[in-house]
Amino acid sequence: MLNYVLIKGAGDLASGVALTLIKAGFPVVMTEVPQPTCVRRMVSFAEAVYEGEITIEGIRGRLAVDFKEAQEIARIGEVAVLIDPQGKTLKEHHPLIYIDAAMTKKNYGTNMNDAGIVIALGPGFKAGVDVHAVIETKRGSSLGKPLYKGAALPNTGIPGEVKGYTSERVLRSPTEGIFTAELKIGDQVKKGDLIGYVGDQPVQATINGTVRGLLKSGLKVDKGAKLGDIHPEINREIVYAVTDKAWAVGRGVMEAISTLQKKGVQDTHRLNLLIYRRLQEELDQEKPCILYTIVDLPSDWKQLSGSHLLVLSEGFAYGTLGLNSLDRQITARAERLLSQSAPSTGIIQLQLDEKGKMVKVLEEPFLPQKKLVVFGAGHVAVPLVEMASILGYKTVVVDDRQELVSKERFPRADKLICAPFEEVLHKREFIAGINGMTSVVIVTRGHEYDLMCLRNVIHSDARYIGMIGSRRKVRNNFRILLNEGVSRETLEKVAAPIGLDLGGQRPEEIALSILAQMVALENGGSGKPLVRSIDDLLCSAREALLMNSG
């Protein structure tokens, strides 16, 4: 199960829940139908379906074209919205937490096996049977209360009272047809003013005030369908304010998640099996990841024992350590470690709660073998591959000259590819294998081939990209790529001319300078001498003696 929250529906109540969860650090993805019919559109992330994006209470929601983009949006703390009327996201990308916030007043298939924690808003669901918890959505003293048994109160159909008005606030369709709006949300109206039409039937304001909600113009509606609502005051700002009801429901969802996590309702065994399967998939694809396992914790938190969280190189996570606060700390830590060269296995301690209780977590990095891909099998490539293999690199050599690509010349190479560069670079599997553990060295027989190779790998996830050539040739190739739209920032990551300045010109010396640059980058080194002069060394020694004597 992916460590994210999936919310079905993106209306105003669902959006209040999403905002509450985002502020608490949960990654959130919402699903909607192709033509959402919510009326409080300025406080509903469903509006992103029509406009591409919307910002509510400072949180941006964006329409995603697919789940991969939705993950990227959610990972940076924004709300991702997917058009998904069939519920494919739930089936294909199992979430850790699933919230049915469609407010349909009937259960259309939601069940407790949909996710580790399953919550529903409003009537139509039975807590403890259909879902783990139901959130009360009817106004009153129980609004927002999580229920772990039974159902929410039925909807009376009578809107909540505002300034003495209830049903009068709501705009209803006088007939079946296409709704056409004449006003927009935020407009001031007086009783009897024209709001719009359904077919040729007028829709008029029933009270004085501000248009707070209004259906998207052009949608087909049934007779009696809700078209909008009027706030009985002149207050344009209110149309952008999330209602107290939505916030109350959001707080109820947070309370339910916290309670259910402490109870340990997730099937840990099933969840761990899914995590191990994903771990194997990452290893098969030569992608680095880190597995976290709770190994020791206070006795009153024993239900979390053995919980796993797998953090991938892209920053996404599978599973949970049982608490969102722990998951966020660990995910942030893993992202930092995965950007380094070689994180090590060990035990870390984290604070479990505000009382200062601690938890011990086993941190296990799973890193693919470092890989060096060399384009060009000339004189420099031979010592480069030999030295790289000594340093533990898996080496791959690519060249189209059969007489050069042989085991006799490259006895320590792990893979030799004799084929045109363009043909190799157009293979999706080959490019996919260039990841964060890969270094790419371009030392072909001509700058036109160098340019071809660089053009195809420059947008990859390679840790290091280096290209041989004089300053003039490198400058010419860079100018061509800039004219093709490659950014200066992207070109900055290319080491060209390649290597550290060691002063040598022999193939072995050039190879050494390339590897020195690769190792320095890998370990965060500067490539500079450790000591600048004997005076510098002696001065440092005197300072150390003075500090020790003091």
Side-chain angles (χ1 to χ4, degrees), residues 239-371:
V239 305
Y240 302 105
V242 174
T243 63
D244 58 344
K245 180 178 180 178
W247 286 125
V249 171
R251 289 191 296 271
V253 169
M254 274 296 300
E255 181 184 337
I257 291 172
S258 178
T259 299
L260 292 168
Q261 284 181 329
K262 288 179 181 178
K263 285 183 177 179
V265 298
Q266 291 117 325
D267 185 341
T268 304
H269 177 69
R270 173 171 168 257
L271 187 55
N272 287 347
L273 286 177
L274 293 172
I275 290 170
Y276 298 145
R277 187 183 305 162
R278 182 67 194 200
L279 172 60
Q280 188 59 56
E281 289 173 2
E282 293 297 297
L283 296 177
D284 290 344
Q285 295 176 46
E286 296 186 328
K287 291 183 177 181
C289 54
I290 304 180
L291 179 66
Y292 292 89
T293 307
I294 291 182
V295 293
D296 188 35
L297 72 174
S299 58
D300 53 338
W301 289 87
K302 285 299 181 184
Q303 72 277 6
L304 303 184
S305 182
S307 296
H308 290 312
L309 181 73
L310 177 67
V311 184
L312 312 186
S313 56
E314 299 93 341
F316 307 128
Y318 278 79
T320 178
L321 295 182
L323 291 176
N324 180 53
S325 58
L326 291 180
D327 293 345
R328 281 190 292 146
Q329 289 181 69
I330 287 296
T331 302
R333 174 185 171 87
E335 286 188 62
R336 291 194 303 271
L337 290 176
L338 286 169
S339 67
Q340 299 173 6
S341 58
S344 58
T345 298
I347 301 290
I348 58 174
Q349 288 197 78
L350 298 170
Q351 186 169 317
L352 190 59
D353 57 20
E354 64 280 358
K355 296 178 181 178
K357 293 181 179 179
M358 304 299 290
V359 59
K360 290 184 179 179
V361 180
L362 174 63
E363 182 174 63
E364 296 179 277
F366 289 85
L367 306 175
Q369 185 180 359
K370 297 182 296 183
K371 181 165 63 177

Side-chain angles (χ1 to χ4, degrees), residues 46-350:
E47 187 69 1
V49 172
Y50 296 117
E51 302 298 329
E53 65 175 67
I54 183 174
T55 299
I56 305 171
E57 301 280 350
I59 302 296
R60 184 162 73 150
R62 284 193 281 156
L63 182 65
V65 295
D66 54 27
F67 186 73
K68 183 178 181 181
E69 185 181 6
Q71 280 186 295
E72 294 288 350
I73 292 170
R75 192 170 70 89
I76 61 174
E78 297 180 351
V79 174
V81 180
L82 282 169
I83 298 174
D84 181 13
Q86 303 301 322
K88 290 183 179 179
T89 305
L90 177 62
K91 298 172 186 174
E92 297 174 4
H93 307 284
H94 304 293
L96 190 65
I97 300 171
Y98 179 57
I99 301 169
D100 191 325
M103 300 297 293
T104 54
K105 306 178 184 67
K106 183 179 179 181
N107 186 358
Y108 287 94
T110 297
N111 67 81
M112 287 193 285
N113 292 322
D114 287 335
I117 292 176
V118 182
I119 299 171
L121 305 190
F125 303 87
K126 288 184 179 180
V129 178
D130 302 325
V131 295
H132 295 106
V134 171
I135 308 301
E136 182 58 71
T137 56
K138 185 179 179 182
R139 285 190 177 274
S141 59
S142 297
L143 175 63
K145 180 181 179 181
L147 306 172
Y148 304 102
K149 286 185 180 180
L153 295 171
N155 194 325
T156 62
I158 301 174
E161 183 267 331
V162 178
K163 302 293 180 182
Y165 295 97
T166 56
S167 300
E168 305 96 320
R169 299 188 296 107
V170 180
L171 301 170
R172 300 281 180 186
S173 175
T175 185
E176 179 184 317
I178 303 297
F179 173 65
T180 304
E182 293 294 326
L183 297 180
K184 58 184 181 297
I185 294 174
D187 284 345
Q188 299 177 18
V189 293
K190 292 182 178 180
K191 184 177 180 179
D193 283 355
L194 181 67
I195 302 290
Y197 294 91
V198 176
D200 58 0
Q201 296 291 308
V203 178
Q204 296 173 310
T206 49
I207 59 173
N208 300 339
T210 304
V211 178
R212 187 171 189 178
L214 197 61
L215 188 71
K216 183 76 173 177
S217 191
L219 296 183
K220 185 177 180 179
V221 296
D222 296 325
K223 183 177 180 179
K226 186 176 180 179
L227 302 177
D229 69 299
I230 298 172
H231 180 72
E233 289 181 314
I234 304 303
N235 183 0
R236 181 174 174 79
E237 294 304 312
I238 201 166
V239 305
Y240 302 105
V242 174
T243 63
D244 58 344
K245 180 178 180 178
W247 286 125
V249 171
R251 289 191 296 271
V253 169
M254 274 296 300
E255 181 184 337
I257 291 172
S258 178
T259 299
L260 292 168
Q261 284 181 329
K262 288 179 181 178
K263 285 183 177 179
V265 298
Q266 291 117 325
D267 185 341
T268 304
H269 177 69
R270 173 171 168 257
L271 187 55
N272 287 347
L273 286 177
L274 293 172
I275 290 170
Y276 298 145
R277 187 183 305 162
R278 182 67 194 200
L279 172 60
Q280 188 59 56
E281 289 173 2
E282 293 297 297
L283 296 177
D284 290 344
Q285 295 176 46
E286 296 186 328
K287 291 183 177 181
C289 54
I290 304 180
L291 179 66
Y292 292 89
T293 307
I294 291 182
V295 293
D296 188 35
L297 72 174
S299 58
D300 53 338
W301 289 87
K302 285 299 181 184
Q303 72 277 6
L304 303 184
S305 182
S307 296
H308 290 312
L309 181 73
L310 177 67
V311 184
L312 312 186
S313 56
E314 299 93 341
F316 307 128
Y318 278 79
T320 178
L321 295 182
L323 291 176
N324 180 53
S325 58
L326 291 180
D327 293 345
R328 281 190 292 146
Q329 289 181 69
I330 287 296
T331 302
R333 174 185 171 87
E335 286 188 62
R336 291 194 303 271
L337 290 176
L338 286 169
S339 67
Q340 299 173 6
S341 58
S344 58
T345 298
I347 301 290
I348 58 174
Q349 288 197 78
L350 298 170

